[in-house]
Amino acid sequence: MPDTVSPPAPRHLADRYARWAGLAVGAIAAPLWATTDISRFGNDYGFDVPLVSAVMAFGLCAVGGVLLGDALTPRPQEAVRTAGLTPRRVKDLVPPRITVLLLLEAVLLVLLVGIGAAKASPDAIHRAVAVATHNAACDGVPKAPVSLWPGMFYGNQILVSLAIGTTACAWALRRIAHRPGDDQQRRNRSRAITAGWGMLASGQLLAVLLMIASFLTNTSCEGTLGTVTALVIYPTGLLALVTLAWSLFTLVAPRAVRR
């Protein structure tokens, strides 16, 4: 298929500054959103989990910074027309292993939100909060749910932000795959978009796992199911932390354009 390849050009810094700006705005917006009075936004139970809101705000800002940087990156100039017979595909441009891990984390995040929503009846929430905050004894007390989840107020935030970030990043990756430039430039841009989406998905998954781990640590009421849950969430939390660190490092120290 026809392609356009540009000659060597000086490295453009607009993309890097936009990424840094997105992270900086996220660092400011996260605590502001986390400390906002949420009682008037549909949080019927009044249970405040600022970590979830902070991670969501930071992740969305990180995605916004990456997308802004991609939009500000100048198109190749003084192009030379070449021909290629291999169609460009998004999956050939993104880092394969880390992308698979991030997709698995996103699926797990949606599953955890769904499970939490199914168990988030008022009675279950009150019992979970009582056990977690007062360290209530289990003898003679109805068994508390394994996962501490304060209803779909935070679940809606997670699902909506993940849907917005996924749609925007998928559109950007498709745009990168079909625009002018050499393959290395496209891979670098796709890597950055993947990292931005990874900040959103990995960060929110880690926040949810921390909530569950906190509940399991502060109560002995979870039983066998809680033990099995712990064996699953702790390795998954470590994986989410690794992918989150990769995403942050990729955004902070982007690769230079190959000359």
Side-chain angles (χ1 to χ4, degrees), residues 6-12 185 257-259:
S6 61
R11 180 170 43 184
H12 302 286
Q185 289 176 330
V257 177
R258 180 178 295 179
R259 295 181 180 276

Side-chain angles (χ1 to χ4, degrees), residues 222-236:
E222 70 277 3
T224 303
L225 182 58
T227 303
V228 175
T229 303
L231 293 176
V232 174
I233 66 169
Y234 290 134
T236 306

Side-chain angles (χ1 to χ4, degrees), residues 134-156:
H134 302 294
N135 198 20
C138 297
D139 297 336
V141 179
K143 192 172 183 180
V146 171
S147 61
L148 176 59
W149 189 260
M152 279 303 291
F153 174 80
Y154 293 98
N156 287 332

Side-chain angles (χ1 to χ4, degrees), residues 166-188:
T166 302
T167 301
C169 291
W171 173 83
L173 288 173
R174 180 177 176 81
R175 176 174 172 267
I176 291 170
H178 293 88
R179 74 183 180 187
D182 60 36
D183 286 340
Q184 186 60 42
Q185 289 176 330
R186 281 191 283 268
R187 288 193 177 91
N188 289 340

Side-chain angles (χ1 to χ4, degrees), residues 75-161:
R75 289 179 175 272
Q77 298 178 355
E78 301 178 2
V80 178
R81 300 292 294 181
T82 63
L85 300 178
T86 303
R88 302 194 203 114
R89 299 178 300 181
V90 170
K91 70 177 184 178
D92 296 328
L93 299 176
V94 297
R97 296 182 181 87
I98 200 72
T99 302
V100 171
L101 291 178
L102 290 175
L103 289 174
L104 291 176
E105 291 179 7
V107 171
L108 180 58
L109 176 61
V110 174
L111 288 177
L112 288 176
V113 172
I115 294 173
K119 301 177 67 173
S121 64
D123 181 60
I125 293 174
H126 294 157
R127 285 187 285 116
V129 173
V131 172
T133 58
H134 302 294
N135 198 20
C138 297
D139 297 336
V141 179
K143 192 172 183 180
V146 171
S147 61
L148 176 59
W149 189 260
M152 279 303 291
F153 174 80
Y154 293 98
N156 287 332
Q157 293 185 41
I158 291 175
L159 294 178
V160 171
S161 62

Side-chain angles (χ1 to χ4, degrees), residues 51 55 109 201-211 236-238 240-241 244:
L51 177 63
V55 171
L109 176 61
S202 296
Q204 294 194 113
L205 176 60
L206 187 60
V208 171
L209 293 175
L210 286 175
M211 291 174 60
T236 306
L238 180 60
L241 184 61
L244 181 64

